[in-house]
Amino acid sequence: MKGPDDQVVKVAKALADKTRVKILRELVKHGPISCGDAGKVTFLSQPAVSHHLKVLADADLIVTHKEGRHVVASVNRAVLKKFASLLP
């Protein structure tokens, strides 16, 4: 059984990488972006960006959906707000 701290740990682990923090900041600042646009922000390959987006999605920090052939990511503000409320 998962406890309430499991989500906090998962979010903290996802944010322990500067690339994922950079992607999340971009999403917060500019709204939804495609995987390709995230690659332009991070200067990483598409597979690397996809990996980072998956980690963020697994932590419920972002929500992704398909638009044609593109995957678009947006911030899950409820989870981000809940996590931020735990910080001093």
Side-chain angles (χ1 to χ4, degrees), residues 7-68:
Q7 179 69 28
V8 173
V9 170
K10 202 168 201 178
V11 168
K13 284 182 179 181
L15 294 177
D17 182 275
K18 65 182 178 181
T19 298
R20 291 192 283 271
V21 171
K22 189 174 191 176
I23 292 170
L24 192 61
R25 279 188 177 152
E26 186 70 16
L27 289 168
V28 168
K29 188 174 181 181
H30 296 291
I33 60 173
S34 70
C35 186
D37 289 338
K40 292 174 186 172
V41 169
T42 61
F43 304 104
L44 295 173
S45 67
Q46 185 274 326
V49 171
S50 291
H51 166 74
H52 288 295
L53 290 177
K54 182 179 180 339
V55 172
L56 290 169
D58 288 347
D60 293 327
L61 284 166
I62 65 168
V63 178
T64 61
H65 69 277
K66 284 196 135 202
E67 286 184 9

